[in-house]
Amino acid sequence: MKDIVIVGAGIVGCSIARELSRYNLNVTVIDKNQDVSEGISKANSGIIHGGYNEKKGTLKAKLNLEGNKIIDSLSEELEFPFKRNGSLVLAFNEEEFKKLKTLKSNGESLGIEELELLEKGEVLDLEENINCDVVGALHVKNSGIVSPYEMTLAFAENACENGVEFLLNHVVTDIKNNGDSYTLIIKDKDPIEAKIVINAAGLGGAFLNNLVSETKYEIEGVKGEYCLLDKIAGGLCKKTLFQVPSELSKGVLVTPTVDGNLLIGPNAAPSEVGDIKTTRKGIDEIIDKSKITMEKIPFDRVLNTFSGIRPKVKTKDFIIEEAKDAKNFINVIGIDSPGLTCAPAIANYVINIIKDKIKLDKKSNFKAHRTKMIRMSELNIEEKNKLIAENPAYGKMICKCEFVTEGEIIDSIRRPLGARTLDGVKRRTRATMGGCQGIGCMIPISAIISKELGIDISQVNKDRENSSVVGFKED
Ligand SMILES: Cc1cc2nc3c(=O)[nH]c(=O)nc-3n(C[C@H](O)[C@H](O)[C@H](O)COP(=O)(O)OP(=O)(O)OC[C@H]3O[C@@H](n4cnc5c(N)ncnc54)[C@H](O)[C@@H]3O)c2cc1C
């Protein structure tokens, strides 16, 4: 019997797992995908929001503020990249400028001090490539950028190092309430029993709740599509550039990423929960809207498009509570934006809910620090030469666009919770993320994974089952 099972290895489930790994508890994280961060947490804007536009009294407002404040120390402790680059919410007419004043006073009423209204000239002094018909902006100095999947991996790896078990490729199909425990039914695998279940299943959160509770939830998917541009385009701005937000979303942004690319998006289109295909219509919409911010965006430098689905619930706020008619079943659902920003604060909130349900006895050997992967491209020449002398695999370039070596790819597989798929290697090392998008290195990387895991190259998946880029071996 497990003490606690968390369903969902996104940023929410992994933040909770990392927090729980401080205690002497038997904790398991279950996810249907082959890697952590394969759900909403891999496809979003990666912004640590300032929180100025959240509604007073909501969990979103409270947890955004708390999450934003603890992110610096967490990024140091867990070594994931975070830049507090600040953002500008841009007004292109007087009507929009009035809305900025409302947003500023809303933010101030929430306790956010780092807000300032800027005139046209001040905006263009900060960001010279913004269209010169800008009227003014709200400068949100406390906002920042992260890589959402690197952040998720950092929490997951640290939780794993501190004893949390991760069961990937495990689909929860049913849950039985036994009164004092729950039995989770797993597709094609043995059932798992737990005293406490934490439902952090993102888009699958309503389904799991509805299996055990008479309070039924519905999740509406709202798709957001993006264009990712290369690092040459990434130099066009330093801050995250928002337009004035709407009811459905924070609007189309133009932002540098922590890795130096340029990201444009998202739109907000109703969508089936599992449908992450990008559409010509959606991409045209974000291209057109981004041109309001910046005419000069070089769309011939687009590397890729992708989309993520927001899990919207009717209340429009996060639902983080024990189900009223299912004792010890904790729902963490409806976690749409700003869920990435809030995740570490959500974890603390959840610990507070369960502290009276189970003994939280601190581990004496909890390891708070996680060491990030070696990135050869970040080292100086002496450091590179030393590493290559110790291990020649660090001298063998595999991804020539992002300068990723064989040594780094092997490291990404051998780490705690190591990569098992091509996309797993991609998210840990950046291999395949450059100009050729993997045309030159997907097969050599598949060969390395095959050798490391002792499986045939045709069994190495890109992301999900049967997604090998090499094809299947004939019997
Ligand atoms: C377009 C877009 C832009 C966004 N931008 C931002 C932003 O800039 N800043 C910000 O703070 N937030 C942003 N967000 C919100 C943020 O991305 C989410 O709040 C966050 O990623 C949700 O994390 P999660 O762990 O709840 O969900 P997920 O990452 O989806 O994790 C849930 C996991 O549960 C697993 N699962 C589901 N059902 C089952 C089952 N039956 N059995 C086993 N496993 C299951 C899934 O496989 C998945 O891995 C954005 C969201 C979107 C869609």
Short mmCIF file of all heavy atoms in Angstrom, two decimals, residues 7-13 30-33 39-41 43-47 49 170-172 200-202 204 208 224 226 266 308-310 335-341, ligand 1:
data_model
loop_
_atom_site.label_atom_id
_atom_site.label_comp_id
_atom_site.label_asym_id
_atom_site.label_seq_id
_atom_site.Cartn_x
_atom_site.Cartn_y
_atom_site.Cartn_z
N VAL A 7 -1.53 11.33 -9.40
CA VAL A 7 -1.74 11.02 -10.82
C VAL A 7 -1.44 12.28 -11.61
O VAL A 7 -2.10 13.31 -11.43
CB VAL A 7 -3.17 10.51 -11.12
CG1 VAL A 7 -3.27 10.07 -12.58
CG2 VAL A 7 -3.56 9.39 -10.18
N GLY A 8 -0.43 12.20 -12.48
CA GLY A 8 -0.05 13.34 -13.31
C GLY A 8 1.37 13.78 -13.03
O GLY A 8 1.69 14.24 -11.93
N ALA A 9 2.24 13.63 -14.06
CA ALA A 9 3.64 14.06 -13.91
C ALA A 9 3.88 15.32 -14.73
O ALA A 9 4.84 15.42 -15.50
CB ALA A 9 4.57 12.93 -14.33
N GLY A 10 2.97 16.29 -14.61
CA GLY A 10 3.21 17.63 -15.17
C GLY A 10 3.86 18.49 -14.09
O GLY A 10 4.29 17.98 -13.05
N ILE A 11 3.90 19.79 -14.33
CA ILE A 11 4.56 20.67 -13.36
C ILE A 11 3.85 20.62 -12.00
O ILE A 11 4.51 20.69 -10.95
CB ILE A 11 4.67 22.13 -13.89
CG1 ILE A 11 5.50 23.00 -12.96
CG2 ILE A 11 3.30 22.78 -14.12
CD1 ILE A 11 6.92 22.59 -12.79
N VAL A 12 2.53 20.43 -12.02
CA VAL A 12 1.79 20.42 -10.75
C VAL A 12 2.12 19.15 -9.96
O VAL A 12 2.55 19.21 -8.79
CB VAL A 12 0.27 20.57 -11.00
CG1 VAL A 12 -0.51 20.38 -9.72
CG2 VAL A 12 -0.02 21.94 -11.61
N GLY A 13 1.96 17.97 -10.61
CA GLY A 13 2.25 16.72 -9.93
C GLY A 13 3.70 16.64 -9.48
O GLY A 13 3.99 16.18 -8.36
N ILE A 30 2.17 8.66 -10.98
CA ILE A 30 1.76 7.83 -12.12
C ILE A 30 1.44 8.74 -13.30
O ILE A 30 0.77 9.76 -13.14
CB ILE A 30 0.47 7.05 -11.77
CG1 ILE A 30 0.74 6.10 -10.61
CG2 ILE A 30 -0.08 6.29 -12.97
CD1 ILE A 30 -0.48 5.30 -10.18
N ASP A 31 1.91 8.38 -14.49
CA ASP A 31 1.53 9.14 -15.68
C ASP A 31 1.36 8.19 -16.87
O ASP A 31 2.10 7.23 -17.01
CB ASP A 31 2.55 10.23 -16.03
CG ASP A 31 1.92 11.31 -16.90
OD1 ASP A 31 1.65 11.05 -18.10
OD2 ASP A 31 1.68 12.42 -16.38
N LYS A 32 0.43 8.54 -17.71
CA LYS A 32 0.14 7.68 -18.88
C LYS A 32 1.21 7.82 -19.96
O LYS A 32 1.35 6.94 -20.81
CB LYS A 32 -1.24 7.99 -19.45
CG LYS A 32 -1.39 9.38 -20.00
CD LYS A 32 -2.80 9.61 -20.51
CE LYS A 32 -2.95 11.02 -21.01
NZ LYS A 32 -4.28 11.37 -21.40
N ASN A 33 1.97 8.89 -19.94
CA ASN A 33 2.95 9.13 -21.00
C ASN A 33 4.30 8.47 -20.70
O ASN A 33 4.54 8.01 -19.59
CB ASN A 33 3.12 10.63 -21.22
CG ASN A 33 1.91 11.21 -21.93
OD1 ASN A 33 1.41 10.64 -22.89
ND2 ASN A 33 1.41 12.32 -21.42
N GLY A 39 2.38 16.55 -21.04
CA GLY A 39 1.03 17.11 -21.17
C GLY A 39 1.09 18.61 -21.39
O GLY A 39 1.93 19.12 -22.15
N ILE A 40 0.23 19.35 -20.68
CA ILE A 40 0.16 20.81 -20.86
C ILE A 40 1.50 21.46 -20.51
O ILE A 40 1.87 22.49 -21.07
CB ILE A 40 -0.93 21.44 -19.95
CG1 ILE A 40 -2.23 20.64 -20.00
CG2 ILE A 40 -1.20 22.89 -20.32
CD1 ILE A 40 -3.21 21.01 -18.90
N SER A 41 2.22 20.82 -19.59
CA SER A 41 3.45 21.45 -19.08
C SER A 41 4.58 21.53 -20.10
O SER A 41 5.60 22.16 -19.85
CB SER A 41 3.93 20.73 -17.82
OG SER A 41 2.90 20.77 -16.86
N ALA A 43 3.92 22.50 -23.36
CA ALA A 43 3.53 23.38 -24.48
C ALA A 43 2.77 24.58 -23.96
O ALA A 43 1.55 24.59 -23.95
CB ALA A 43 2.70 22.59 -25.48
N ASN A 44 3.50 25.57 -23.51
CA ASN A 44 2.87 26.81 -23.03
C ASN A 44 3.85 27.95 -23.24
O ASN A 44 4.89 27.77 -23.85
CB ASN A 44 2.44 26.66 -21.56
CG ASN A 44 3.58 26.23 -20.67
OD1 ASN A 44 4.56 26.93 -20.55
ND2 ASN A 44 3.47 25.06 -20.07
N SER A 45 3.53 29.13 -22.72
CA SER A 45 4.37 30.30 -23.00
C SER A 45 5.63 30.35 -22.14
O SER A 45 6.55 31.12 -22.44
CB SER A 45 3.59 31.60 -22.80
OG SER A 45 2.37 31.56 -23.49
N GLY A 46 5.64 29.62 -21.04
CA GLY A 46 6.84 29.62 -20.18
C GLY A 46 7.04 30.92 -19.42
O GLY A 46 8.17 31.27 -19.07
N ILE A 47 5.94 31.62 -19.16
CA ILE A 47 6.08 32.91 -18.46
C ILE A 47 5.82 32.73 -16.97
O ILE A 47 4.85 32.07 -16.58
CB ILE A 47 5.06 33.96 -19.01
CG1 ILE A 47 5.11 34.04 -20.54
CG2 ILE A 47 5.28 35.32 -18.34
CD1 ILE A 47 6.42 34.46 -21.15
N HIS A 49 4.33 34.62 -14.48
CA HIS A 49 3.50 35.82 -14.57
C HIS A 49 3.62 36.72 -13.34
O HIS A 49 3.83 36.24 -12.22
CB HIS A 49 2.02 35.43 -14.75
CG HIS A 49 1.72 34.92 -16.13
ND1 HIS A 49 1.79 35.74 -17.24
CD2 HIS A 49 1.37 33.70 -16.59
CE1 HIS A 49 1.48 35.03 -18.32
NE2 HIS A 49 1.23 33.79 -17.95
N HIS A 170 1.72 4.41 -17.50
CA HIS A 170 0.67 3.81 -16.67
C HIS A 170 -0.61 4.65 -16.81
O HIS A 170 -0.65 5.79 -16.33
CB HIS A 170 1.08 3.80 -15.19
CG HIS A 170 1.97 2.66 -14.81
ND1 HIS A 170 3.18 2.43 -15.41
CD2 HIS A 170 1.81 1.68 -13.88
CE1 HIS A 170 3.74 1.36 -14.87
NE2 HIS A 170 2.93 0.88 -13.94
N VAL A 171 -1.60 4.10 -17.46
CA VAL A 171 -2.86 4.84 -17.66
C VAL A 171 -3.86 4.43 -16.57
O VAL A 171 -4.20 3.25 -16.45
CB VAL A 171 -3.50 4.51 -19.03
CG1 VAL A 171 -4.70 5.41 -19.30
CG2 VAL A 171 -2.48 4.60 -20.14
N VAL A 172 -4.32 5.40 -15.79
CA VAL A 172 -5.34 5.10 -14.77
C VAL A 172 -6.69 5.07 -15.48
O VAL A 172 -7.12 6.06 -16.07
CB VAL A 172 -5.35 6.17 -13.65
CG1 VAL A 172 -6.44 5.88 -12.64
CG2 VAL A 172 -3.98 6.26 -12.99
N ALA A 200 -3.72 15.23 -10.04
CA ALA A 200 -3.05 16.35 -10.72
C ALA A 200 -2.96 16.00 -12.21
O ALA A 200 -1.91 16.14 -12.84
CB ALA A 200 -1.66 16.57 -10.13
N ALA A 201 -4.09 15.51 -12.75
CA ALA A 201 -4.08 14.91 -14.08
C ALA A 201 -4.37 15.90 -15.21
O ALA A 201 -4.68 15.48 -16.33
CB ALA A 201 -5.05 13.74 -14.13
N GLY A 202 -4.28 17.18 -14.95
CA GLY A 202 -4.42 18.18 -16.03
C GLY A 202 -5.74 18.01 -16.75
O GLY A 202 -6.82 18.06 -16.14
N GLY A 204 -7.07 15.45 -17.78
CA GLY A 204 -7.78 14.24 -17.35
C GLY A 204 -8.34 14.38 -15.93
O GLY A 204 -8.87 13.41 -15.37
N LEU A 208 -11.02 11.71 -13.61
CA LEU A 208 -10.63 10.99 -12.40
C LEU A 208 -11.53 11.36 -11.23
O LEU A 208 -11.99 10.50 -10.49
CB LEU A 208 -9.16 11.28 -12.03
CG LEU A 208 -8.08 10.78 -12.98
CD1 LEU A 208 -6.70 10.96 -12.37
CD2 LEU A 208 -8.27 9.32 -13.37
N GLY A 224 -4.16 26.77 -27.52
CA GLY A 224 -3.31 27.93 -27.80
C GLY A 224 -2.19 27.50 -28.73
O GLY A 224 -1.46 26.56 -28.43
N TYR A 226 1.27 28.23 -31.25
CA TYR A 226 2.50 29.04 -31.19
C TYR A 226 3.35 28.85 -32.43
O TYR A 226 3.31 27.80 -33.08
CB TYR A 226 3.38 28.58 -30.02
CG TYR A 226 2.84 28.82 -28.66
CD1 TYR A 226 2.06 27.87 -28.02
CD2 TYR A 226 3.12 30.01 -27.98
CE1 TYR A 226 1.56 28.09 -26.74
CE2 TYR A 226 2.63 30.23 -26.70
CZ TYR A 226 1.86 29.27 -26.08
OH TYR A 226 1.37 29.49 -24.82
N PRO A 266 -0.05 32.75 -27.61
CA PRO A 266 -0.96 31.81 -28.24
C PRO A 266 -2.27 32.48 -28.59
O PRO A 266 -2.57 33.55 -28.09
CB PRO A 266 -1.20 30.80 -27.10
CG PRO A 266 -1.16 31.66 -25.85
CD PRO A 266 -0.21 32.79 -26.13
N GLY A 308 -0.79 23.99 -27.15
CA GLY A 308 -1.10 23.41 -25.84
C GLY A 308 -2.57 23.68 -25.55
O GLY A 308 -3.17 24.60 -26.12
N ILE A 309 -3.15 22.86 -24.68
CA ILE A 309 -4.59 22.99 -24.40
C ILE A 309 -4.79 23.44 -22.95
O ILE A 309 -4.31 22.79 -22.02
CB ILE A 309 -5.33 21.64 -24.58
CG1 ILE A 309 -4.88 20.91 -25.84
CG2 ILE A 309 -6.85 21.83 -24.52
CD1 ILE A 309 -5.50 21.34 -27.11
N ARG A 310 -5.54 24.54 -22.77
CA ARG A 310 -5.83 25.02 -21.42
C ARG A 310 -7.01 24.21 -20.85
O ARG A 310 -8.03 24.10 -21.51
CB ARG A 310 -6.22 26.49 -21.45
CG ARG A 310 -5.20 27.41 -22.12
CD ARG A 310 -5.83 28.78 -22.32
NE ARG A 310 -4.96 29.73 -23.01
CZ ARG A 310 -4.88 29.87 -24.33
NH1 ARG A 310 -5.61 29.11 -25.13
NH2 ARG A 310 -4.08 30.79 -24.87
N ILE A 335 -6.28 23.60 -13.65
CA ILE A 335 -5.04 24.38 -13.51
C ILE A 335 -4.61 24.88 -14.89
O ILE A 335 -3.72 24.33 -15.54
CB ILE A 335 -3.91 23.56 -12.82
CG1 ILE A 335 -4.44 22.85 -11.56
CG2 ILE A 335 -2.72 24.46 -12.51
CD1 ILE A 335 -4.92 23.76 -10.44
N ASP A 336 -5.30 25.94 -15.32
CA ASP A 336 -4.89 26.58 -16.58
C ASP A 336 -3.92 27.71 -16.21
O ASP A 336 -3.40 27.77 -15.09
CB ASP A 336 -6.11 27.05 -17.39
CG ASP A 336 -6.96 28.07 -16.66
OD1 ASP A 336 -6.82 28.18 -15.43
OD2 ASP A 336 -7.75 28.77 -17.30
N SER A 337 -3.68 28.64 -17.11
CA SER A 337 -2.72 29.70 -16.81
C SER A 337 -3.22 30.53 -15.64
O SER A 337 -4.42 30.81 -15.56
CB SER A 337 -2.56 30.60 -18.05
OG SER A 337 -1.51 31.48 -17.84
N PRO A 338 -2.43 30.90 -14.67
CA PRO A 338 -0.97 30.82 -14.55
C PRO A 338 -0.46 29.61 -13.74
O PRO A 338 0.30 29.76 -12.78
CB PRO A 338 -0.63 32.11 -13.83
CG PRO A 338 -1.81 32.31 -12.88
CD PRO A 338 -3.00 31.70 -13.54
N GLY A 339 -0.85 28.40 -14.18
CA GLY A 339 -0.53 27.20 -13.41
C GLY A 339 0.96 26.92 -13.28
O GLY A 339 1.41 26.38 -12.26
N LEU A 340 1.72 27.27 -14.31
CA LEU A 340 3.17 27.04 -14.25
C LEU A 340 3.78 27.92 -13.16
O LEU A 340 4.58 27.46 -12.33
CB LEU A 340 3.75 27.39 -15.62
CG LEU A 340 5.23 27.20 -15.85
CD1 LEU A 340 5.58 25.73 -15.88
CD2 LEU A 340 5.63 27.83 -17.20
N THR A 341 3.38 29.18 -13.14
CA THR A 341 3.87 30.12 -12.13
C THR A 341 3.48 29.66 -10.74
O THR A 341 4.27 29.76 -9.79
CB THR A 341 3.23 31.52 -12.38
OG1 THR A 341 3.38 31.84 -13.76
CG2 THR A 341 3.84 32.57 -11.50
C1 LIG B 1 -1.46 27.76 -24.36
C2 LIG B 1 -1.06 27.80 -22.90
C3 LIG B 1 -0.22 28.79 -22.41
C4 LIG B 1 0.11 28.84 -21.07
N1 LIG B 1 1.03 29.75 -20.64
C5 LIG B 1 1.37 29.78 -19.34
C6 LIG B 1 2.36 30.69 -18.88
O1 LIG B 1 2.98 31.39 -19.65
N2 LIG B 1 2.60 30.76 -17.55
C7 LIG B 1 1.93 29.99 -16.66
O2 LIG B 1 2.15 30.16 -15.47
N3 LIG B 1 1.05 29.06 -17.07
C8 LIG B 1 0.77 28.92 -18.39
N4 LIG B 1 -0.10 27.99 -18.83
C9 LIG B 1 -0.68 27.07 -17.87
C10 LIG B 1 0.25 25.91 -17.53
O3 LIG B 1 0.88 25.42 -18.67
C11 LIG B 1 -0.57 24.81 -16.87
O4 LIG B 1 -1.30 25.37 -15.81
C12 LIG B 1 0.29 23.69 -16.31
O5 LIG B 1 1.21 23.23 -17.25
C13 LIG B 1 -0.63 22.56 -15.88
O6 LIG B 1 0.17 21.54 -15.37
P1 LIG B 1 -0.46 20.19 -14.89
O7 LIG B 1 0.61 19.44 -14.21
O8 LIG B 1 -1.72 20.46 -14.14
O9 LIG B 1 -0.96 19.46 -16.22
P2 LIG B 1 -0.15 18.52 -17.24
O10 LIG B 1 1.19 19.04 -17.54
O11 LIG B 1 -1.04 18.26 -18.40
O12 LIG B 1 0.05 17.18 -16.41
C14 LIG B 1 -1.01 16.28 -16.20
C15 LIG B 1 -0.53 14.88 -16.48
O13 LIG B 1 -1.56 13.96 -16.13
C16 LIG B 1 -1.43 12.84 -16.97
N5 LIG B 1 -2.71 12.12 -16.98
C17 LIG B 1 -3.92 12.61 -17.31
N6 LIG B 1 -4.86 11.64 -17.19
C18 LIG B 1 -4.21 10.52 -16.79
C19 LIG B 1 -4.64 9.18 -16.50
N7 LIG B 1 -5.92 8.81 -16.61
N8 LIG B 1 -3.70 8.29 -16.13
C20 LIG B 1 -2.40 8.65 -16.01
N9 LIG B 1 -1.95 9.91 -16.27
C21 LIG B 1 -2.84 10.81 -16.64
C22 LIG B 1 -1.11 13.45 -18.33
O14 LIG B 1 -0.44 12.51 -19.14
C23 LIG B 1 -0.23 14.62 -17.95
O15 LIG B 1 1.15 14.33 -18.10
C24 LIG B 1 -0.43 27.88 -20.18
C25 LIG B 1 -1.24 26.86 -20.68
C26 LIG B 1 -1.53 26.79 -22.02
C27 LIG B 1 -2.32 25.65 -22.56
#
